[in-house]
Amino acid sequence: MTYLPMLRRPLAILAALLTLLLALPAQAEVQFQQVTSPKGIKAWLVEDHSLPLITIRFAFEGGTTQDPVGKEGLANLMTALFDEGAGDLDSEAFQIALDNVGAEMGFAADNDALYGSMRLLSEQRDEALDLLKLAIEAPRFDQDPIDRMRAQIVAGIVASAKDPGKAAQTLWAQALYGEHPYARRREGNPETLAGVTADDLRALHKAIFARANLHVAIVGDIDAADAAQVLDMLFGALPEQPALTPVADIEPVLGKDLEVNYDLPQTAIYLAYPGIKRDAPDYFAAYLMNEILGGRSILSRLTAEVREQRGLAYNISSALLNFQHTEMLIIGTATRPDRAEETLTVAQDVIARLAKDGPTAAELASAKKYVIGSYPINELNSSSAIANTLVGPDLRNLGIDHLTRREELIEAVSVEDVKAVAAKLLTVKPTTLLIGPQAQPAP
């Protein structure tokens, strides 16, 4: 699951341009090129001079799993502070400067990486990039912004304490990952955040921000020569190697049955099955299997059986999740408490039949058509989407041919391939979580 940095400070000056951008047709013939700077920093570039906009997206390996024990929430807090002062500009001065150049900047963290992005007007490229360079190299971490952003995060944590979704997410992560860093809340908790200092933030910034764990994509109104110069300008002064804390690979704990009593109008149901590595030879067979089982199409088997035929739930879906140190297949839905057991039984029957018999030829053909056709609409429909699409595979060391050969790899999958991977993944006893008023309290 890739976390995208939310671009903060939406600006009126960009609104009209973004409207035009969204109106552009899907870019079916996006041309990818690799750029290497004079200092050896590499990036994927897509030139598009149709609008005076440039989007830069980058990721440093090492996300919230780098939070020291007792300082959980550190990386997440850090991402909220990059536009709260850098270099000789305090928070107010930095944000006024961003406004003046009409740029949007955002940072975010997930388990495995810390992401940053900027969307800027090409005519103010130099001024905007100077600010991004300051944020990358010299964030101030002043005490007032730290206290203010920490208070906002803690308020969100307190507010979410009564959210059954958050409760389920926390229990789910702990059941699957135990003591592994993946079981932590990315936001931390009020106690751990209270102990975070400016020195902690500076230490984590120094550990993560390095050239060797950097992945960059640039899309828009810029050519390869200028893009190479931009790479050195933004990242050339960073240290070569990061100082990341090693994170172990982990197999999620499967086979558990969890029930949590919660006063809700519905009972939420989650199932976790084994996943498949992103670079595995049968990954695309699993990808198509997931689409047939509970993917985004309304034609998926789970949607047809649970929603369309029986009206048990408004929505039910499945997803393949790939993190740097683990992978899973997740199924989730919510239903009336008195029909939770029936919903779970129907879902398990659908899963068992796919594992035993595999898909039909018609189902596989439909799934291929959907995932190939929806890709440019969902992943290549704007400069931001393209930049994100380029950073994601690079972060996973998949290579650009993963994108250019994607359709070919999908078309090569056979019914027998999907049947084999369904039998491999879906015959394992899953970990199941029911959270709702009909469930019994957890021991």
Side-chain angles (χ1 to χ4, degrees):
M1 180 167 59
T2 300
Y3 266 55
L4 304 182
M6 296 297 292
L7 290 171
R8 298 173 67 185
R9 308 167 51 76
L11 302 172
I13 193 172
L14 285 178
L17 288 171
L18 293 176
T19 300
L20 289 172
L21 189 64
L22 292 172
L24 289 174
Q27 303 185 33
E29 296 183 0
V30 174
Q31 299 295 315
F32 308 113
Q33 53 182 313
Q34 190 172 52
V35 175
T36 302
S37 76
K39 291 187 177 180
I41 301 170
K42 295 181 178 180
W44 290 108
L45 169 68
V46 173
E47 287 189 51
D48 177 5
H49 301 285
S50 60
L51 287 173
L53 285 174
I54 301 169
T55 298
I56 298 173
R57 194 177 295 271
F58 52 91
F60 292 97
E61 296 176 38
T64 58
T65 55
Q66 296 300 306
D67 290 348
V69 174
K71 302 281 186 179
E72 290 84 357
L74 178 61
N76 180 64
L77 175 60
M78 183 169 70
T79 62
L81 293 166
F82 284 107
D83 65 351
E84 294 284 346
D88 58 354
L89 302 177
D90 65 13
S91 175
E92 183 178 3
F94 191 91
Q95 295 188 34
I96 290 173
L98 269 180
D99 277 349
N100 288 339
V101 299
E104 294 180 336
M105 189 176 78
F107 287 82
D110 67 12
N111 288 329
D112 299 320
L114 192 148
Y115 302 88
S117 65
M118 175 171 270
R119 190 161 47 197
L120 56 109
L121 299 168
S122 50
E123 67 180 10
Q124 302 214 52
R125 186 178 80 190
D126 291 345
E127 296 89 339
L129 292 179
D130 282 344
L131 292 171
L132 182 58
K133 175 182 172 66
L134 270 185
I136 292 170
E137 287 185 2
R140 290 167 61 105
F141 302 131
D142 291 334
Q143 194 61 47
D144 285 348
I146 290 174
D147 292 341
R148 177 162 39 82
M149 301 312 296
R150 173 165 42 205
Q152 290 184 17
I153 294 170
V154 169
I157 294 171
V158 171
S160 69
K162 297 181 180 179
D163 179 354
K166 279 291 183 182
Q169 188 178 40
T170 300
L171 177 64
W172 188 240
Q174 291 171 347
L176 295 172
Y177 302 128
E179 299 297 321
H180 192 274
Y182 282 166
R184 303 172 182 168
R185 285 188 63 152
R186 293 169 184 168
E187 307 92 335
N189 58 61
E191 292 75 25
T192 60
L193 286 169
V196 170
T197 67
D199 285 342
D200 294 327
L201 292 161
R202 294 187 186 102
L204 186 63
H205 173 262
K206 184 178 180 181
I208 291 178
F209 278 58
R211 286 181 283 168
N213 61 327
L214 171 65
H215 306 266
V216 188
I218 304 175
V219 180
D221 186 23
I222 186 170
D223 61 26
D226 283 355
Q229 296 300 320
V230 166
L231 290 174
D232 278 353
M233 177 264 190
L234 289 176
F235 306 109
L238 294 177
E240 174 63 26
Q241 295 294 333
L244 301 180
T245 301
V247 178
D249 292 345
I250 183 169
E251 294 289 337
V253 177
L254 303 181
K256 283 188 173 182
D257 294 312
L258 305 170
E259 295 186 0
V260 179
N261 190 29
Y262 217 106
D263 186 16
L264 291 170
Q266 289 196 315
T267 294
I269 302 170
Y270 302 90
L271 300 98
Y273 286 87
I276 192 161
K277 292 187 181 300
R278 194 63 184 82
D279 57 355
D282 50 355
Y283 173 79
F284 279 107
Y287 183 71
L288 290 164
M289 180 207 74
N290 175 65
E291 286 299 324
I292 294 166
L293 176 63
R296 291 164 291 180
S297 169
I298 198 170
L299 301 176
S300 76
R301 287 192 180 190
L302 286 171
T303 297
E305 294 283 347
V306 173
R307 170 180 159 155
E308 300 298 325
Q309 295 189 21
R310 295 175 176 80
L312 292 169
Y314 180 75
N315 186 45
I316 182 167
S317 62
S318 64
L320 282 172
L321 302 182
N322 289 90
F323 303 128
Q324 186 171 353
H325 300 287
T326 195
E327 51 278 330
M328 279 187 301
L329 171 67
I330 299 291
I331 297 167
T333 188
T335 187
R336 276 173 35 189
D338 61 328
R339 304 194 74 177
E341 290 298 331
E342 179 187 0
T343 302
L344 180 59
T345 299
V346 171
Q348 290 172 328
D349 181 60
V350 169
I351 295 164
R353 279 190 279 118
L354 184 58
K356 177 176 179 293
D357 302 327
T360 67
E363 284 178 316
L364 180 57
S366 178
K368 288 180 179 179
K369 186 176 181 180
Y370 178 80
V371 300
I372 290 172
S374 64
Y375 190 75
I377 296 173
N378 296 326
E379 308 295 338
L380 303 174
N381 65 348
S382 70
S383 58
S384 294
I386 294 170
N388 184 60
T389 298
L390 290 174
V391 168
D394 195 51
L395 194 56
R396 295 168 178 78
N397 298 315
L398 293 175
I400 201 66
D401 66 332
H402 163 79
L403 298 177
T404 56
R405 295 185 59 232
R406 179 179 180 276
E407 183 172 337
E408 172 190 342
L409 295 170
I410 289 171
E411 290 289 12
V413 174
S414 69
V415 168
E416 290 305 313
D417 293 334
V418 177
K419 183 177 180 179
V421 80
K424 181 170 73 174
L425 301 182
L426 301 180
T427 54
V428 176
K429 179 175 170 52
T431 284
T432 303
L433 169 64
L434 273 67
I435 179 168
Q438 294 297 313
Q440 297 301 311

